[in-house]
């Protein structure tokens, strides 16, 4: 489906002149075709729009010339396309410049590599270049146009570089098989230099194992405003990076490891996973985010879990609108329990609307935690329970596979379960109501609503299928539904809460991991429930659900399965709940099974921002040896 690709990727811009537009360094070449219309797509990975007025392009046969883009400004997370004024051919290259001549990005390809299209795969703006036989996806995410597999050499990426003393380059193999590099070479951006063999520059190996690293010291020297291009045995460029003054001092690292944007770190991690624990300028990519905090030794039995199920973000996903910095917000191995001694599986999160200093958290293996801040970290409230409280099904039996939670209009905590962990091959999709004021170490539901029969596709005898049920739940107040004219699917008329006298003051939106749909319920005080139908989120899966009063949106969250994204949903003019805007996580965060997400109420706003919190179901972070390994909670900011 794809051929051995030959490309050059410049992941960072040359130093900007005074007239270079703000944010230009976040614009990347994202897709190219040299077949027919010779079309180019640019992508803005930044959090603000970028003007491309007066920008130019060149190939390997002519000087920079102006082009006519589909729009004069690229919105944050958006795309712009244009047709090359001079045409693009085989074994060609493309360079993009700002109006003052500053290089923005560049890519090269060999014969037929851009036919029918060549696209970044594995992440718009950052993924490896591959040739695809599928239709081009100009103006939208590359996910649907990417092949199912990427050639082994294209899985090798420059992962870290330092121009401070040793001038060392680290390569990382993100593929599933080893890649031989015995005949590979490298060169810097001095056109007077010829490529130098890696084997003559003290490489740590002649092949890179799957998931492994190789480092080498540059015999050419690396300085300010420099580049490194890595070439395979045929002289074709595999990957490249460019940085500005002091950008690679002490180290520039991809965040996340092997796939993300480069940022300047405070210390090198050569030969190991990049943790990007902080830094200054954000390195060559122009990203200024830092991942702060963390560390600590794993306790006995605490065992992080490698993330699974990585997929692409929905088309049109925008960059995170909040601050770029993120803090590791818990103690290492903080959520070990008698049924989960490995410390994993912290999932759903919800701020308490009546007391935003409280964050509720559900752990899959039937535990509920009430968290409060202490020295900047979220810790179990010792006045409630320093070790969490164990959850049971109605009658005090079973081990609910507790995934999602929300706080209802009555102040009670509602928790979803996908199955009974005591019999985990059988689905048990329930919503349980707990009174957090109840005393004792164990909580049993005041009410329990069982919707299992609505999802026969999950009852196959497989524990994996049984584990794809209610992953999240959000309480949505009637006041929002009525004020925005939601049409009741049961009556075809505007929703009238009075038609359902036992349901309380709002409805509950349960997210199904199986297909990314929301299922709307009225939970009646007599133990019955009303089903209001299904809502498509545009996500392949849903891991958490929330209603945010600040944005007046229902939020459906998906983890790395959908590119770490959050879809904000509104009520349209026709009275239907539909996707509005989708955001990805801050660039400094790992691509893990981040199953929980919560935004603090606007009452907590400081300087236009409020807290956002994520939970890592696998406490894996950036992997063994990183500052995030063994931690479950991350704290960032979201606009008020």
């Amino acid at each position: 489906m794809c051929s051995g690709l030959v490309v050059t990727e410049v992941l960072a811009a040359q130093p900007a002149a005074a007239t270079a537009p703000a944010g230009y360094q976040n614009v990347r070449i994202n897709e190219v075709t040299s077949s027919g219309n010779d079309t180019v797509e640019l992508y803005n990975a930044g959090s603000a729009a970028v003007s491309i007025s007066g920008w130019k392009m060149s190939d390997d046969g002519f000087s920079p010339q102006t082009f006519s883009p589909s729009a004069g400004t690229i919105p944050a997370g958006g795309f712009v396309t244009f047709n090359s004024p001079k045409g693009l051919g085989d074994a060609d290259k493309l360079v993009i410049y700002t109006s003052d001549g500053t290089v923005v990005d560049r890519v090269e390809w060999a014969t037929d590599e851009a036919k029918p299209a060549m696209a970044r795969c594995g992440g718009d703006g950052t993924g490896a270049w591959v040739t695809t036989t599928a239709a081009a996806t100009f103006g939208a995410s590359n996910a649907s146009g990417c092949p199912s597999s990427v050639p082994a050499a294209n899985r090798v990426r420059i992962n870290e570089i330092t121009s401070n003393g040793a001038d060392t380059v680290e390569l990382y193999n993100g593929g599933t098989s080893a890649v031989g590099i015995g005949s590979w070479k490298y060169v810097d951006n001095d056109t007077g230099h010829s490529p130098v063999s890696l084997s003559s520059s003290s490489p740590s190996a002649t092949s890179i194992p799957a998931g492994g690293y190789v480092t080498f010291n540059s015999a050419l020297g690396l300085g300010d405003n420099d580049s490194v291009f890595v070439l395979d045995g045929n002289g074709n460029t595999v990957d490249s990076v460019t940085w500005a003054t002091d950008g690679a001092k002490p180290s520039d690292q991809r965040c996340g490891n092997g796939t993300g944007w480069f940022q300047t770190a405070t210390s090198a991690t050569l030969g190991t996973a990049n943790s990007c624990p902080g830094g200054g300028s954000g390195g060559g990519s122009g990203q200024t985010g830092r991942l702060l905090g963390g560390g600590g030794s794993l306790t006995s039995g605490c065992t992080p879990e490698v993330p699974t199920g990585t997929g692409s973000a929905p088309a049109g996903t925008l960059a995170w609108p909040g601050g770029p910095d993120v803090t590791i917000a818990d103690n290492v191995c903080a959520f070990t329990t008698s049924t989960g001694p490995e410390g994993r599986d912290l999932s759903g999160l919800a701020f308490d609307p009546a007391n935003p200093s409280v964050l509720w958290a559900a752990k899959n293996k039937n535990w509920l935690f009430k968290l409060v801040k202490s020295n900047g970290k979220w810790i179990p409230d010792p006045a409630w329970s320093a070790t969490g409280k164990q959850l049971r099904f109605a009658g005090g039996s079973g081990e609910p596979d507790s995934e999602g939670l929300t706080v209802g209009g009555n102040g009670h905590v509602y928790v979803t379960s996908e199955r009974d962990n005591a019999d985990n091959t059988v689905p048990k999709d329930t919503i349980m109501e707990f009174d957090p004021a109840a005393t004792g170490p164990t909580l049993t539901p005041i009410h329990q609503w069982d919707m299992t029969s609505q999802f026969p596709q999950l009852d196959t005898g497989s524990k994996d299928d049984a584990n794809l049920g209610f992953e999240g739940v959000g309480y949505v107040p009637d006041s929002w539904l009525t004020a925005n004219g939601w049409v009741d699917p049961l009556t075809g008329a505007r929703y009238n809460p009075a038609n359902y006298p036992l349901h309380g003051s709002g409805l509950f939106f349960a997210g199904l991991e199986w297909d990314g749909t929301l299922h709307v319920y009225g939970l009646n005080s007599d133990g019955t429930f009303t089903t209001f139908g299904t809502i498509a989120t545009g996500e392949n899966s849903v891991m958490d659900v929330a209603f945010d009063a600040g944005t007046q949106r229902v939020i459906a969250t998906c983890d790395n399965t959908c590119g770490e994204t959050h879809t904000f949903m509104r009520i349209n003019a026709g009275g239907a709940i539909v996707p509005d805007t989708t955001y990805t996580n801050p660039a400094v965060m790992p691509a893990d099974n981040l199953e929980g997400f919560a935004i603090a109420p606007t009452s907590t706003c400081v300087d236009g921002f409020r807290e956002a919190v994520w939970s890592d179901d696998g406490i894996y972070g950036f992997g063994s040896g990183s500052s995030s390994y063994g931690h479950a909670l991350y704290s960032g900011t979201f606009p008020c």
Side-chain angles (χ1 to χ4, degrees):
M1 191 172 185
C2 55
S3 57
L5 184 64
V6 183
V7 298
T8 298
E9 176 189 2
V10 179
L11 289 176
Q14 302 288 348
T19 55
Y24 80 94
Q25 66 271 32
N26 294 320
V27 175
R28 322 305 307 154
I29 301 169
N30 203 48
E31 189 170 5
V32 180
T33 176
S34 62
S35 178
N37 292 329
D38 297 334
T39 305
V40 178
E41 175 187 83
L42 303 179
Y43 171 72
N44 178 10
S47 58
V50 177
S51 170
I52 59 172
S53 175
W55 283 25
K56 299 179 179 180
M57 63 153 288
S58 69
D59 70 353
D60 63 357
F62 62 87
S63 59
Q65 301 204 7
T66 58
F67 56 86
S68 299
S70 57
T73 298
I74 312 179
F79 306 85
V80 158
T81 61
F82 66 88
N83 295 332
S84 172
K86 287 290 186 178
L88 300 170
D90 292 338
D92 213 340
K93 73 179 179 182
L94 170 68
V95 185
I96 302 295
Y97 311 83
T98 65
S99 58
D100 69 332
T102 300
V103 174
V104 177
D105 199 10
R106 159 181 158 180
V107 63
E108 287 187 25
W109 60 92
T111 301
D112 291 335
E113 299 297 344
K115 295 178 180 178
M118 181 177 69
R120 291 186 188 268
C121 293
D124 285 313
T126 63
W129 284 97
V130 298
T131 297
T132 174
T133 57
T137 58
F138 291 111
S141 173
N142 290 342
S144 61
C146 291
S148 58
S149 63
V150 175
N154 292 75
R155 296 287 189 180
V156 176
R157 314 300 300 280
I158 299 172
N159 200 47
E160 185 174 3
I161 190 164
T162 174
S163 62
N164 187 17
D167 297 335
T168 304
V169 180
E170 175 191 83
L171 304 180
Y172 170 73
N173 179 6
T176 57
S177 60
V179 175
I181 60 170
S183 62
W184 286 22
K185 299 181 179 182
Y186 68 94
V187 70
D188 63 2
N189 69 356
D190 187 333
T191 56
H193 287 164
S194 298
V196 177
S197 172
L198 264 67
S199 62
S200 66
S201 302
S202 302
S204 56
T206 57
S207 68
I208 311 180
Y213 306 85
V214 159
T215 60
F216 64 89
N217 296 330
S218 171
L220 299 172
L222 299 174
D224 291 341
N225 311 318
D226 211 344
S227 306
V228 168
F229 299 82
V230 174
L231 308 110
D232 66 18
N234 296 317
N236 303 316
T237 303
V238 175
D239 195 14
S240 66
V241 61
T242 298
W243 60 94
T245 301
D246 292 334
K249 296 177 181 178
S251 171
D252 263 17
Q253 303 177 9
R254 286 190 188 270
C255 306
N257 194 55
T259 60
W261 293 98
F262 278 90
Q263 77 168 58
T264 299
T266 55
S267 60
T269 60
L270 296 166
T272 61
N274 295 340
S275 62
C276 304
S281 67
S285 72
Q287 303 298 308
T288 57
R290 298 171 297 165
L291 183 63
L292 307 173
S297 300
L298 301 188
T299 57
S300 177
C302 179
T303 310
E305 185 175 58
V306 176
T308 59
T310 298
S312 300
T317 295
L318 303 181
W320 178 250
D325 292 344
V326 174
T327 301
I328 296 169
D330 65 337
N331 293 313
V332 67
C333 298
F335 300 100
T336 57
T337 62
S338 60
T339 58
E342 78 292 330
R344 302 192 297 263
D345 295 324
L346 196 70
S347 189
L349 299 173
F351 280 95
D352 192 325
N355 184 3
S357 63
V358 169
L359 180 69
W360 293 100
K363 181 177 166 67
N364 295 179
K365 297 177 176 65
N366 66 303
W367 291 85
L368 179 67
F369 287 87
K370 181 181 181 182
L371 305 179
V372 294
K373 276 285 182 72
S374 176
N375 295 320
K377 295 183 178 180
W378 288 104
I379 66 167
D381 182 359
W384 192 76
S385 173
T387 57
K389 293 193 177 186
Q390 194 166 18
L391 304 179
R392 299 295 187 185
F393 287 114
S397 63
E399 298 179 2
D401 187 17
S402 42
E403 293 278 2
L405 63 79
T406 189
V407 179
N410 57 3
H412 289 178
V413 177
Y414 292 75
V415 179
T416 62
S417 179
E418 295 180 317
R419 56 188 179 174
D420 185 342
N421 281 326
D423 186 12
N424 66 6
T425 64
V426 180
K428 191 174 179 64
D429 289 288
T430 58
I431 301 176
M432 299 167 287
E433 177 187 355
F434 297 98
D435 181 358
T439 59
T442 303
L443 297 177
T444 56
I446 297 173
H447 296 102
Q448 178 175 301
W449 298 270
D450 193 329
M451 294 84 170
T452 308
S453 62
Q454 294 185 349
F455 309 104
Q457 71 272 29
L458 305 179
D459 192 7
T460 64
S462 164
K463 65 182 180 65
D464 294 329
D465 287 343
N467 196 40
L468 296 175
F470 285 164
E471 189 77 12
V473 65
Y475 168 78
V476 179
D478 285 340
S479 57
W480 180 74
L481 296 167
T482 56
N484 290 277
W486 181 55
V487 172
D488 183 343
L490 300 181
T491 65
R494 288 173 67 107
Y495 172 62
N496 181 2
N499 292 337
Y500 310 97
L502 300 180
H503 82 290
S505 57
L507 304 181
F508 291 80
F509 287 43
L512 197 69
E513 184 177 3
W514 172 270
D515 61 2
T517 53
L518 300 181
H519 297 258
V520 184
Y521 299 103
L523 304 182
N524 298 324
S525 57
D526 62 359
T528 63
F529 61 88
T530 303
T531 301
F532 288 91
T534 303
I535 298 170
T537 64
E539 302 270 17
N540 292 327
S541 290
V542 172
M543 277 62 185
D544 208 352
V545 185
F547 172 76
D548 176 49
T551 57
Q552 291 289 293
R553 296 292 187 268
V554 174
I555 306 171
T557 287
C558 185
D559 62 4
N560 59 318
T561 305
C562 317
E564 307 286 7
T565 48
H566 313 278
T567 295
F568 287 61
M569 307 187 70
R570 62 182 175 87
I571 299 176
N572 67 11
I577 298 175
V578 297
D580 183 18
T581 304
T582 300
Y583 297 112
T584 191
N585 283 345
V588 296
M589 292 183 65
D592 286 348
N593 295 141
L594 300 172
E595 294 190 353
F597 178 67
I599 303 176
T602 55
S603 60
T604 65
C605 285
V606 177
D607 296 329
F609 288 91
R610 49 195 167 126
E611 186 175 16
V613 184
W614 296 259
S615 64
D616 180 354
D617 184 73
I619 61 171
Y620 187 75
F622 282 105
S624 180
S626 69
S627 63
S628 51
Y629 195 57
H631 291 274
L633 296 177
Y634 298 84
S635 174
T637 58
F638 189 84
C640 291

